Amino acid sequence: MYNPKSHKAEEFISHQEILDTLEYAQKNKNNIEVVDKILEKARLKKGLTHREASVLLDCDIPEKVEEIYALAREIKQDYYGNRIVLFAPLYLSNYCVNGCVYCPYHLKNKHIPRKKLTQEEIRQEVEALQDMGHKRLAIESGEDPVNNPIEYILDSIKTIYDVKHKNGSIRRVNVNIAATTVENYKKLHEAGIGTYILFQETYHKESYEKLHPTGPKHNYAYHTEAMDRAMEAGIDDVSLGVLFGLELYRYEFAGLLMHAEHLEAAFGVGPHAISVPRIKHADDIDPDAFDNGIDDETFAKIVACIRIAAPYVGMIISTRESKECREKLLNLGVSQISGGSKTSVGGYYKPMPDSEDSSQFDVSDRRPLDEVIKWLMELGYLPSFCTSCYREGRTGERFMEICKSQQIHNFCQPNAIMTLKEYLQDYASNETKAIGEKLIAKEVELIKNEKIKQTVKENLKKIEQGERDFKF
């Protein structure tokens, strides 16, 4: 039985409910009356159930598909405006005891170079990232209780926060590590992390167990219930995701939204963000070996339907995807992207000749961060390095209350403008700076609240004079 309030994985991710949902969606995908009723509800911009969203995903009536895309763009603008938040992954260690068949870090891969960063090497990596202009990181590590215990992760977080280099500092560390205990999640919370990230990979239990044949990750329930333990431990910002290409995308789409519904029902707050990576080539991994890959058009529709179903969540697209693909998805729902990313251990400071061979996956968008910033601005977006909500306590339920009321602009827009100004002053090329200064002037004048506008103008002058880290 489907029970979103249950804390048992096989109840809040009910296999039968997903099958029933897929059957219902197929049956009604071209039922104009049903589709119009769902779209009417969607226009309220309060979200949809997994079953309603699945009907829209399956719908292939051309004019209705256009309505879906148009509504996704409208919702994205209403909730997130033209802001795009930037981050970078930082790989700490690729030692791993799991046997995941889609990941080159799997235990049986004996030819991939294995590396674990020392604290001094982490410091060097962080300085290199700060020299690029990054303010928020997502740390990544394989699961290995000997090489990568929780103490190593905690020490690494402290090192990252302690690095003050020129005008740079990392203001927020998100953590993407394997499912762990409530006790360990409490330690991460006390260490001041931003968001806890864990991808489900696939919600199909039978496929999940085949794809994870060995290691602690084989335990479907323990992995799927990880977000419950994290939230019980006080981490109120969590980020979900699946790896599209491992299973049928319709199944994953429904499961992903059911997981979001579960967190809302059980804890009063849904996920802070949803990631939608697609499987990519990597050392020892051929994506063509997986027969559930999705084309760009299907991918775009998935993003649009998630945005409609969960208007308030951040949506993340990494450098797995090409410039062209990312550009298409930005106005359909994506609010966060990585830039200048390396997916190898030690890839930023002084990458070794074999470092790309130790990458977790191939990067499709290899442009440096400055080029990404310039590209975003030329497209009409406002690049943001903002981390203020986390440092001001606007997390979890408090953040969602502000976001769902569409008042988050009053915080995010000023902070985006000021953090972009910092980037332009400290890191931008002359061409990027020229474009950015014009954009900032335009964005400041668009601020409706005169008090906020005046404060932003004053802070921009202070940033020019060398002061940093103003926040609303």
PDB file of all heavy atoms in Angstrom, residues 26-60:
ATOM      1  N   GLN A  26      -0.660   6.377 -19.170  1.00  0.00           N
ATOM      2  CA  GLN A  26      -0.788   5.905 -20.545  1.00  0.00           C
ATOM      3  C   GLN A  26      -2.239   5.952 -21.012  1.00  0.00           C
ATOM      4  O   GLN A  26      -2.535   6.327 -22.153  1.00  0.00           O
ATOM      5  CB  GLN A  26      -0.240   4.483 -20.662  1.00  0.00           C
ATOM      6  CG  GLN A  26       1.255   4.411 -20.859  1.00  0.00           C
ATOM      7  CD  GLN A  26       1.685   4.987 -22.202  1.00  0.00           C
ATOM      8  OE1 GLN A  26       1.224   4.558 -23.259  1.00  0.00           O
ATOM      9  NE2 GLN A  26       2.551   5.993 -22.159  1.00  0.00           N
ATOM     10  N   LYS A  27      -3.133   5.588 -20.131  1.00  0.00           N
ATOM     11  CA  LYS A  27      -4.555   5.550 -20.472  1.00  0.00           C
ATOM     12  C   LYS A  27      -5.104   6.949 -20.721  1.00  0.00           C
ATOM     13  O   LYS A  27      -6.001   7.142 -21.569  1.00  0.00           O
ATOM     14  CB  LYS A  27      -5.331   4.872 -19.339  1.00  0.00           C
ATOM     15  CG  LYS A  27      -6.829   4.765 -19.580  1.00  0.00           C
ATOM     16  CD  LYS A  27      -7.517   4.079 -18.404  1.00  0.00           C
ATOM     17  CE  LYS A  27      -9.031   4.010 -18.607  1.00  0.00           C
ATOM     18  NZ  LYS A  27      -9.698   3.362 -17.428  1.00  0.00           N
ATOM     19  N   ASN A  28      -4.583   7.954 -20.010  1.00  0.00           N
ATOM     20  CA  ASN A  28      -5.160   9.296 -20.062  1.00  0.00           C
ATOM     21  C   ASN A  28      -4.274  10.347 -20.726  1.00  0.00           C
ATOM     22  O   ASN A  28      -4.614  11.537 -20.707  1.00  0.00           O
ATOM     23  CB  ASN A  28      -5.492   9.758 -18.642  1.00  0.00           C
ATOM     24  CG  ASN A  28      -6.649   8.985 -18.040  1.00  0.00           C
ATOM     25  OD1 ASN A  28      -7.803   9.244 -18.363  1.00  0.00           O
ATOM     26  ND2 ASN A  28      -6.329   8.033 -17.171  1.00  0.00           N
ATOM     27  N   LYS A  29      -3.162   9.931 -21.306  1.00  0.00           N
ATOM     28  CA  LYS A  29      -2.201  10.899 -21.818  1.00  0.00           C
ATOM     29  C   LYS A  29      -2.777  11.803 -22.907  1.00  0.00           C
ATOM     30  O   LYS A  29      -2.349  12.943 -23.067  1.00  0.00           O
ATOM     31  CB  LYS A  29      -0.948  10.186 -22.342  1.00  0.00           C
ATOM     32  CG  LYS A  29      -1.179   9.311 -23.568  1.00  0.00           C
ATOM     33  CD  LYS A  29       0.125   8.696 -24.028  1.00  0.00           C
ATOM     34  CE  LYS A  29      -0.068   7.914 -25.333  1.00  0.00           C
ATOM     35  NZ  LYS A  29       1.223   7.368 -25.817  1.00  0.00           N
ATOM     36  N   ASN A  30      -3.758  11.303 -23.655  1.00  0.00           N
ATOM     37  CA  ASN A  30      -4.373  12.105 -24.704  1.00  0.00           C
ATOM     38  C   ASN A  30      -5.854  12.366 -24.446  1.00  0.00           C
ATOM     39  O   ASN A  30      -6.609  12.682 -25.367  1.00  0.00           O
ATOM     40  CB  ASN A  30      -4.177  11.442 -26.069  1.00  0.00           C
ATOM     41  CG  ASN A  30      -2.717  11.449 -26.482  1.00  0.00           C
ATOM     42  OD1 ASN A  30      -1.974  12.350 -26.112  1.00  0.00           O
ATOM     43  ND2 ASN A  30      -2.293  10.442 -27.222  1.00  0.00           N
ATOM     44  N   ASN A  31      -6.231  12.208 -23.173  1.00  0.00           N
ATOM     45  CA  ASN A  31      -7.593  12.521 -22.763  1.00  0.00           C
ATOM     46  C   ASN A  31      -7.643  14.025 -22.469  1.00  0.00           C
ATOM     47  O   ASN A  31      -7.181  14.484 -21.429  1.00  0.00           O
ATOM     48  CB  ASN A  31      -7.956  11.708 -21.515  1.00  0.00           C
ATOM     49  CG  ASN A  31      -9.388  11.907 -21.068  1.00  0.00           C
ATOM     50  OD1 ASN A  31      -9.947  12.991 -21.201  1.00  0.00           O
ATOM     51  ND2 ASN A  31      -9.984  10.862 -20.506  1.00  0.00           N
ATOM     52  N   ILE A  32      -8.185  14.782 -23.404  1.00  0.00           N
ATOM     53  CA  ILE A  32      -8.161  16.238 -23.317  1.00  0.00           C
ATOM     54  C   ILE A  32      -8.762  16.735 -22.008  1.00  0.00           C
ATOM     55  O   ILE A  32      -8.234  17.655 -21.364  1.00  0.00           O
ATOM     56  CB  ILE A  32      -8.905  16.875 -24.507  1.00  0.00           C
ATOM     57  CG1 ILE A  32      -8.179  16.576 -25.822  1.00  0.00           C
ATOM     58  CG2 ILE A  32      -9.044  18.382 -24.311  1.00  0.00           C
ATOM     59  CD1 ILE A  32      -6.860  17.275 -25.962  1.00  0.00           C
ATOM     60  N   GLU A  33      -9.871  16.122 -21.607  1.00  0.00           N
ATOM     61  CA  GLU A  33     -10.541  16.562 -20.390  1.00  0.00           C
ATOM     62  C   GLU A  33      -9.640  16.397 -19.168  1.00  0.00           C
ATOM     63  O   GLU A  33      -9.529  17.298 -18.332  1.00  0.00           O
ATOM     64  CB  GLU A  33     -11.834  15.763 -20.205  1.00  0.00           C
ATOM     65  CG  GLU A  33     -12.653  16.215 -19.010  1.00  0.00           C
ATOM     66  CD  GLU A  33     -13.953  15.439 -18.855  1.00  0.00           C
ATOM     67  OE1 GLU A  33     -14.305  14.670 -19.770  1.00  0.00           O
ATOM     68  OE2 GLU A  33     -14.608  15.614 -17.801  1.00  0.00           O
ATOM     69  N   VAL A  34      -8.986  15.245 -19.078  1.00  0.00           N
ATOM     70  CA  VAL A  34      -8.088  14.974 -17.950  1.00  0.00           C
ATOM     71  C   VAL A  34      -6.869  15.892 -18.005  1.00  0.00           C
ATOM     72  O   VAL A  34      -6.476  16.497 -16.999  1.00  0.00           O
ATOM     73  CB  VAL A  34      -7.660  13.499 -17.931  1.00  0.00           C
ATOM     74  CG1 VAL A  34      -6.560  13.267 -16.881  1.00  0.00           C
ATOM     75  CG2 VAL A  34      -8.846  12.591 -17.649  1.00  0.00           C
ATOM     76  N   VAL A  35      -6.254  15.997 -19.180  1.00  0.00           N
ATOM     77  CA  VAL A  35      -5.050  16.828 -19.328  1.00  0.00           C
ATOM     78  C   VAL A  35      -5.361  18.286 -19.001  1.00  0.00           C
ATOM     79  O   VAL A  35      -4.601  18.951 -18.282  1.00  0.00           O
ATOM     80  CB  VAL A  35      -4.474  16.697 -20.754  1.00  0.00           C
ATOM     81  CG1 VAL A  35      -3.351  17.718 -20.975  1.00  0.00           C
ATOM     82  CG2 VAL A  35      -3.948  15.287 -21.000  1.00  0.00           C
ATOM     83  N   ASP A  36      -6.487  18.792 -19.496  1.00  0.00           N
ATOM     84  CA  ASP A  36      -6.844  20.187 -19.230  1.00  0.00           C
ATOM     85  C   ASP A  36      -7.105  20.430 -17.739  1.00  0.00           C
ATOM     86  O   ASP A  36      -6.767  21.488 -17.202  1.00  0.00           O
ATOM     87  CB  ASP A  36      -8.079  20.575 -20.045  1.00  0.00           C
ATOM     88  CG  ASP A  36      -7.731  20.909 -21.483  1.00  0.00           C
ATOM     89  OD1 ASP A  36      -6.541  21.103 -21.771  1.00  0.00           O
ATOM     90  OD2 ASP A  36      -8.658  20.982 -22.310  1.00  0.00           O
ATOM     91  N   LYS A  37      -7.714  19.460 -17.089  1.00  0.00           N
ATOM     92  CA  LYS A  37      -7.975  19.595 -15.658  1.00  0.00           C
ATOM     93  C   LYS A  37      -6.657  19.656 -14.875  1.00  0.00           C
ATOM     94  O   LYS A  37      -6.517  20.449 -13.934  1.00  0.00           O
ATOM     95  CB  LYS A  37      -8.826  18.425 -15.174  1.00  0.00           C
ATOM     96  CG  LYS A  37      -9.296  18.563 -13.727  1.00  0.00           C
ATOM     97  CD  LYS A  37     -10.232  17.429 -13.342  1.00  0.00           C
ATOM     98  CE  LYS A  37     -10.715  17.583 -11.898  1.00  0.00           C
ATOM     99  NZ  LYS A  37     -11.641  16.488 -11.504  1.00  0.00           N
ATOM    100  N   ILE A  38      -5.691  18.833 -15.275  1.00  0.00           N
ATOM    101  CA  ILE A  38      -4.377  18.848 -14.611  1.00  0.00           C
ATOM    102  C   ILE A  38      -3.664  20.175 -14.879  1.00  0.00           C
ATOM    103  O   ILE A  38      -3.075  20.786 -13.962  1.00  0.00           O
ATOM    104  CB  ILE A  38      -3.520  17.663 -15.083  1.00  0.00           C
ATOM    105  CG1 ILE A  38      -4.149  16.337 -14.611  1.00  0.00           C
ATOM    106  CG2 ILE A  38      -2.090  17.780 -14.561  1.00  0.00           C
ATOM    107  CD1 ILE A  38      -3.504  15.096 -15.203  1.00  0.00           C
ATOM    108  N   LEU A  39      -3.723  20.651 -16.116  1.00  0.00           N
ATOM    109  CA  LEU A  39      -3.085  21.919 -16.445  1.00  0.00           C
ATOM    110  C   LEU A  39      -3.740  23.082 -15.702  1.00  0.00           C
ATOM    111  O   LEU A  39      -3.058  24.027 -15.284  1.00  0.00           O
ATOM    112  CB  LEU A  39      -3.131  22.155 -17.953  1.00  0.00           C
ATOM    113  CG  LEU A  39      -2.151  21.330 -18.791  1.00  0.00           C
ATOM    114  CD1 LEU A  39      -2.444  21.488 -20.272  1.00  0.00           C
ATOM    115  CD2 LEU A  39      -0.714  21.726 -18.488  1.00  0.00           C
ATOM    116  N   GLU A  40      -5.048  23.005 -15.535  1.00  0.00           N
ATOM    117  CA  GLU A  40      -5.752  24.040 -14.778  1.00  0.00           C
ATOM    118  C   GLU A  40      -5.247  24.085 -13.338  1.00  0.00           C
ATOM    119  O   GLU A  40      -5.007  25.161 -12.775  1.00  0.00           O
ATOM    120  CB  GLU A  40      -7.257  23.759 -14.797  1.00  0.00           C
ATOM    121  CG  GLU A  40      -8.091  24.826 -14.089  1.00  0.00           C
ATOM    122  CD  GLU A  40      -9.582  24.525 -14.126  1.00  0.00           C
ATOM    123  OE1 GLU A  40      -9.970  23.514 -14.752  1.00  0.00           O
ATOM    124  OE2 GLU A  40     -10.355  25.289 -13.527  1.00  0.00           O
ATOM    125  N   LYS A  41      -5.052  22.919 -12.733  1.00  0.00           N
ATOM    126  CA  LYS A  41      -4.508  22.867 -11.381  1.00  0.00           C
ATOM    127  C   LYS A  41      -3.064  23.362 -11.380  1.00  0.00           C
ATOM    128  O   LYS A  41      -2.644  24.103 -10.471  1.00  0.00           O
ATOM    129  CB  LYS A  41      -4.569  21.431 -10.849  1.00  0.00           C
ATOM    130  CG  LYS A  41      -3.966  21.283  -9.457  1.00  0.00           C
ATOM    131  CD  LYS A  41      -4.003  19.840  -8.974  1.00  0.00           C
ATOM    132  CE  LYS A  41      -3.308  19.697  -7.622  1.00  0.00           C
ATOM    133  NZ  LYS A  41      -3.299  18.287  -7.147  1.00  0.00           N
ATOM    134  N   ALA A  42      -2.298  22.972 -12.391  1.00  0.00           N
ATOM    135  CA  ALA A  42      -0.885  23.354 -12.461  1.00  0.00           C
ATOM    136  C   ALA A  42      -0.719  24.864 -12.546  1.00  0.00           C
ATOM    137  O   ALA A  42       0.262  25.420 -12.036  1.00  0.00           O
ATOM    138  CB  ALA A  42      -0.219  22.680 -13.651  1.00  0.00           C
ATOM    139  N   ARG A  43      -1.678  25.553 -13.170  1.00  0.00           N
ATOM    140  CA  ARG A  43      -1.578  27.011 -13.317  1.00  0.00           C
ATOM    141  C   ARG A  43      -1.726  27.743 -11.988  1.00  0.00           C
ATOM    142  O   ARG A  43      -1.407  28.929 -11.892  1.00  0.00           O
ATOM    143  CB  ARG A  43      -2.619  27.508 -14.327  1.00  0.00           C
ATOM    144  CG  ARG A  43      -2.302  27.095 -15.764  1.00  0.00           C
ATOM    145  CD  ARG A  43      -3.211  27.757 -16.778  1.00  0.00           C
ATOM    146  NE  ARG A  43      -2.970  27.196 -18.100  1.00  0.00           N
ATOM    147  CZ  ARG A  43      -3.677  26.201 -18.640  1.00  0.00           C
ATOM    148  NH1 ARG A  43      -4.694  25.665 -17.947  1.00  0.00           N
ATOM    149  NH2 ARG A  43      -3.388  25.738 -19.834  1.00  0.00           N
ATOM    150  N   LEU A  44      -2.190  27.054 -10.975  1.00  0.00           N
ATOM    151  CA  LEU A  44      -2.226  27.638  -9.636  1.00  0.00           C
ATOM    152  C   LEU A  44      -0.828  27.736  -9.045  1.00  0.00           C
ATOM    153  O   LEU A  44      -0.608  28.408  -8.035  1.00  0.00           O
ATOM    154  CB  LEU A  44      -3.131  26.802  -8.718  1.00  0.00           C
ATOM    155  CG  LEU A  44      -4.604  26.694  -9.126  1.00  0.00           C
ATOM    156  CD1 LEU A  44      -5.337  25.738  -8.188  1.00  0.00           C
ATOM    157  CD2 LEU A  44      -5.265  28.059  -9.136  1.00  0.00           C
ATOM    158  N   LYS A  45       0.115  26.994  -9.651  1.00  0.00           N
ATOM    159  CA  LYS A  45       1.537  27.037  -9.289  1.00  0.00           C
ATOM    160  C   LYS A  45       1.789  26.578  -7.857  1.00  0.00           C
ATOM    161  O   LYS A  45       2.656  27.113  -7.160  1.00  0.00           O
ATOM    162  CB  LYS A  45       2.104  28.441  -9.525  1.00  0.00           C
ATOM    163  CG  LYS A  45       1.948  28.894 -10.970  1.00  0.00           C
ATOM    164  CD  LYS A  45       2.348  30.329 -11.186  1.00  0.00           C
ATOM    165  CE  LYS A  45       2.047  30.743 -12.626  1.00  0.00           C
ATOM    166  NZ  LYS A  45       2.337  32.160 -12.888  1.00  0.00           N
ATOM    167  N   LYS A  46       0.997  25.580  -7.452  1.00  0.00           N
ATOM    168  CA  LYS A  46       1.165  24.988  -6.126  1.00  0.00           C
ATOM    169  C   LYS A  46       1.655  23.545  -6.215  1.00  0.00           C
ATOM    170  O   LYS A  46       1.807  22.875  -5.192  1.00  0.00           O
ATOM    171  CB  LYS A  46      -0.154  25.025  -5.347  1.00  0.00           C
ATOM    172  CG  LYS A  46      -0.738  26.419  -5.176  1.00  0.00           C
ATOM    173  CD  LYS A  46       0.165  27.315  -4.356  1.00  0.00           C
ATOM    174  CE  LYS A  46      -0.478  28.680  -4.147  1.00  0.00           C
ATOM    175  NZ  LYS A  46       0.422  29.602  -3.390  1.00  0.00           N
ATOM    176  N   GLY A  47       1.888  23.064  -7.424  1.00  0.00           N
ATOM    177  CA  GLY A  47       2.418  21.714  -7.598  1.00  0.00           C
ATOM    178  C   GLY A  47       1.368  20.706  -8.022  1.00  0.00           C
ATOM    179  O   GLY A  47       0.165  20.990  -8.037  1.00  0.00           O
ATOM    180  N   LEU A  48       1.844  19.515  -8.374  1.00  0.00           N
ATOM    181  CA  LEU A  48       0.996  18.405  -8.793  1.00  0.00           C
ATOM    182  C   LEU A  48       1.423  17.143  -8.071  1.00  0.00           C
ATOM    183  O   LEU A  48       2.550  17.050  -7.561  1.00  0.00           O
ATOM    184  CB  LEU A  48       1.124  18.172 -10.308  1.00  0.00           C
ATOM    185  CG  LEU A  48       0.693  19.283 -11.251  1.00  0.00           C
ATOM    186  CD1 LEU A  48       1.036  18.905 -12.687  1.00  0.00           C
ATOM    187  CD2 LEU A  48      -0.795  19.591 -11.117  1.00  0.00           C
ATOM    188  N   THR A  49       0.543  16.156  -8.050  1.00  0.00           N
ATOM    189  CA  THR A  49       0.915  14.844  -7.529  1.00  0.00           C
ATOM    190  C   THR A  49       1.757  14.109  -8.564  1.00  0.00           C
ATOM    191  O   THR A  49       1.796  14.495  -9.748  1.00  0.00           O
ATOM    192  CB  THR A  49      -0.328  14.003  -7.223  1.00  0.00           C
ATOM    193  OG1 THR A  49      -0.994  13.692  -8.468  1.00  0.00           O
ATOM    194  CG2 THR A  49      -1.289  14.735  -6.297  1.00  0.00           C
ATOM    195  N   HIS A  50       2.401  13.033  -8.131  1.00  0.00           N
ATOM    196  CA  HIS A  50       3.204  12.242  -9.066  1.00  0.00           C
ATOM    197  C   HIS A  50       2.352  11.669 -10.185  1.00  0.00           C
ATOM    198  O   HIS A  50       2.806  11.544 -11.321  1.00  0.00           O
ATOM    199  CB  HIS A  50       3.923  11.115  -8.319  1.00  0.00           C
ATOM    200  CG  HIS A  50       3.009  10.127  -7.668  1.00  0.00           C
ATOM    201  ND1 HIS A  50       2.435  10.333  -6.434  1.00  0.00           N
ATOM    202  CD2 HIS A  50       2.540   8.917  -8.089  1.00  0.00           C
ATOM    203  CE1 HIS A  50       1.680   9.301  -6.114  1.00  0.00           C
ATOM    204  NE2 HIS A  50       1.710   8.434  -7.099  1.00  0.00           N
ATOM    205  N   ARG A  51       1.088  11.340  -9.887  1.00  0.00           N
ATOM    206  CA  ARG A  51       0.221  10.761 -10.907  1.00  0.00           C
ATOM    207  C   ARG A  51      -0.200  11.811 -11.925  1.00  0.00           C
ATOM    208  O   ARG A  51      -0.188  11.557 -13.140  1.00  0.00           O
ATOM    209  CB  ARG A  51      -0.998  10.101 -10.253  1.00  0.00           C
ATOM    210  CG  ARG A  51      -1.866   9.350 -11.244  1.00  0.00           C
ATOM    211  CD  ARG A  51      -2.893   8.462 -10.564  1.00  0.00           C
ATOM    212  NE  ARG A  51      -2.279   7.296  -9.941  1.00  0.00           N
ATOM    213  CZ  ARG A  51      -2.932   6.183  -9.631  1.00  0.00           C
ATOM    214  NH1 ARG A  51      -4.223   6.071  -9.895  1.00  0.00           N
ATOM    215  NH2 ARG A  51      -2.307   5.170  -9.059  1.00  0.00           N
ATOM    216  N   GLU A  52      -0.548  12.988 -11.446  1.00  0.00           N
ATOM    217  CA  GLU A  52      -0.917  14.066 -12.370  1.00  0.00           C
ATOM    218  C   GLU A  52       0.255  14.454 -13.265  1.00  0.00           C
ATOM    219  O   GLU A  52       0.102  14.632 -14.484  1.00  0.00           O
ATOM    220  CB  GLU A  52      -1.389  15.277 -11.569  1.00  0.00           C
ATOM    221  CG  GLU A  52      -2.701  15.054 -10.838  1.00  0.00           C
ATOM    222  CD  GLU A  52      -2.979  16.093  -9.772  1.00  0.00           C
ATOM    223  OE1 GLU A  52      -2.013  16.723  -9.279  1.00  0.00           O
ATOM    224  OE2 GLU A  52      -4.161  16.272  -9.415  1.00  0.00           O
ATOM    225  N   ALA A  53       1.425  14.587 -12.668  1.00  0.00           N
ATOM    226  CA  ALA A  53       2.606  14.964 -13.448  1.00  0.00           C
ATOM    227  C   ALA A  53       2.965  13.895 -14.465  1.00  0.00           C
ATOM    228  O   ALA A  53       3.445  14.205 -15.569  1.00  0.00           O
ATOM    229  CB  ALA A  53       3.780  15.215 -12.503  1.00  0.00           C
ATOM    230  N   SER A  54       2.729  12.634 -14.135  1.00  0.00           N
ATOM    231  CA  SER A  54       3.033  11.539 -15.064  1.00  0.00           C
ATOM    232  C   SER A  54       2.149  11.592 -16.296  1.00  0.00           C
ATOM    233  O   SER A  54       2.580  11.224 -17.396  1.00  0.00           O
ATOM    234  CB  SER A  54       2.880  10.190 -14.352  1.00  0.00           C
ATOM    235  OG  SER A  54       3.873  10.034 -13.356  1.00  0.00           O
ATOM    236  N   VAL A  55       0.916  12.048 -16.125  1.00  0.00           N
ATOM    237  CA  VAL A  55       0.031  12.218 -17.291  1.00  0.00           C
ATOM    238  C   VAL A  55       0.609  13.280 -18.224  1.00  0.00           C
ATOM    239  O   VAL A  55       0.663  13.085 -19.450  1.00  0.00           O
ATOM    240  CB  VAL A  55      -1.397  12.604 -16.846  1.00  0.00           C
ATOM    241  CG1 VAL A  55      -2.261  12.943 -18.066  1.00  0.00           C
ATOM    242  CG2 VAL A  55      -2.042  11.473 -16.053  1.00  0.00           C
ATOM    243  N   LEU A  56       1.063  14.394 -17.663  1.00  0.00           N
ATOM    244  CA  LEU A  56       1.650  15.447 -18.497  1.00  0.00           C
ATOM    245  C   LEU A  56       2.916  14.961 -19.185  1.00  0.00           C
ATOM    246  O   LEU A  56       3.170  15.305 -20.348  1.00  0.00           O
ATOM    247  CB  LEU A  56       1.956  16.688 -17.650  1.00  0.00           C
ATOM    248  CG  LEU A  56       0.766  17.407 -17.017  1.00  0.00           C
ATOM    249  CD1 LEU A  56       1.229  18.711 -16.375  1.00  0.00           C
ATOM    250  CD2 LEU A  56      -0.341  17.669 -18.022  1.00  0.00           C
ATOM    251  N   LEU A  57       3.718  14.177 -18.488  1.00  0.00           N
ATOM    252  CA  LEU A  57       4.945  13.651 -19.080  1.00  0.00           C
ATOM    253  C   LEU A  57       4.635  12.767 -20.283  1.00  0.00           C
ATOM    254  O   LEU A  57       5.355  12.796 -21.292  1.00  0.00           O
ATOM    255  CB  LEU A  57       5.746  12.873 -18.036  1.00  0.00           C
ATOM    256  CG  LEU A  57       7.092  12.306 -18.494  1.00  0.00           C
ATOM    257  CD1 LEU A  57       8.054  13.427 -18.875  1.00  0.00           C
ATOM    258  CD2 LEU A  57       7.702  11.427 -17.409  1.00  0.00           C
ATOM    259  N   ASP A  58       3.576  11.994 -20.212  1.00  0.00           N
ATOM    260  CA  ASP A  58       3.211  11.084 -21.295  1.00  0.00           C
ATOM    261  C   ASP A  58       2.437  11.761 -22.413  1.00  0.00           C
ATOM    262  O   ASP A  58       2.396  11.264 -23.541  1.00  0.00           O
ATOM    263  CB  ASP A  58       2.376   9.923 -20.749  1.00  0.00           C
ATOM    264  CG  ASP A  58       3.230   8.787 -20.211  1.00  0.00           C
ATOM    265  OD1 ASP A  58       4.458   8.933 -20.230  1.00  0.00           O
ATOM    266  OD2 ASP A  58       2.667   7.769 -19.774  1.00  0.00           O
ATOM    267  N   CYS A  59       1.814  12.885 -22.113  1.00  0.00           N
ATOM    268  CA  CYS A  59       0.972  13.556 -23.097  1.00  0.00           C
ATOM    269  C   CYS A  59       1.782  13.919 -24.344  1.00  0.00           C
ATOM    270  O   CYS A  59       2.859  14.514 -24.247  1.00  0.00           O
ATOM    271  CB  CYS A  59       0.362  14.818 -22.499  1.00  0.00           C
ATOM    272  SG  CYS A  59      -0.656  15.756 -23.651  1.00  0.00           S
ATOM    273  N   ASP A  60       1.265  13.567 -25.515  1.00  0.00           N
ATOM    274  CA  ASP A  60       1.979  13.901 -26.746  1.00  0.00           C
ATOM    275  C   ASP A  60       1.115  14.678 -27.741  1.00  0.00           C
ATOM    276  O   ASP A  60       1.387  14.679 -28.943  1.00  0.00           O
ATOM    277  CB  ASP A  60       2.560  12.642 -27.401  1.00  0.00           C
ATOM    278  CG  ASP A  60       1.516  11.557 -27.637  1.00  0.00           C
ATOM    279  OD1 ASP A  60       0.314  11.867 -27.594  1.00  0.00           O
ATOM    280  OD2 ASP A  60       1.911  10.393 -27.871  1.00  0.00           O
TER     281      ASP A  60
END
